[in-house]
Amino acid sequence: MTGTLSTKEILELKARAHHLNPVVMVGQHGLTESVIKETDAALTAHELIKVRVHGDDRAERIEICNALCEAVDAQLVQHIGKLLVLWRKNIEE
């Protein structure tokens, strides 16, 4: 994805994401092909989603976050604990 989000855009997306529930869960098997497909489909449908990453290792969660963002061409808006907020602009709009 080209370009980065401005501070104003990030604040707006955080506000929009506040009431959302996680729609994708990354479980004990980590980042699988099915998780990537589900994330891609959710981003296509909603543009802004929350992802829950299970596991207690913070470094591993960050690696999963980076790999997932790269795999689905999304940008990380927020990472708090085990929750990620991802955004990808819909091409159809």
Side-chain angles (χ1 to χ4, degrees), residues 1-5 73 75 87:
M1 176 164 275
T2 57
T4 57
L5 295 169
D73 195 29
Q75 289 188 322
W87 177 80

Side-chain angles (χ1 to χ4, degrees), residues 29-90:
H29 299 294
L31 192 59
T32 62
E33 190 62 35
S34 60
V35 170
I36 292 171
K37 286 181 182 176
E38 194 63 34
T39 303
D40 187 52
L43 283 167
T44 300
H46 303 290
E47 191 175 69
L48 182 69
I49 63 168
K50 279 187 181 176
V51 178
R52 181 174 301 280
V53 182
H54 292 286
D56 294 326
D57 185 5
R58 180 172 166 73
E60 183 180 345
R61 288 195 311 263
I62 291 171
E63 285 179 27
I64 288 172
C65 170
N66 292 335
L68 183 59
C69 286
E70 189 173 320
V72 297
D73 195 29
Q75 289 188 322
L76 178 67
V77 174
Q78 189 173 34
H79 175 200
I80 296 180
K82 296 180 181 184
L83 281 178
L84 310 173
V85 177
L86 302 181
W87 177 80
R88 181 178 71 193
K89 181 146 182 72
N90 281 344

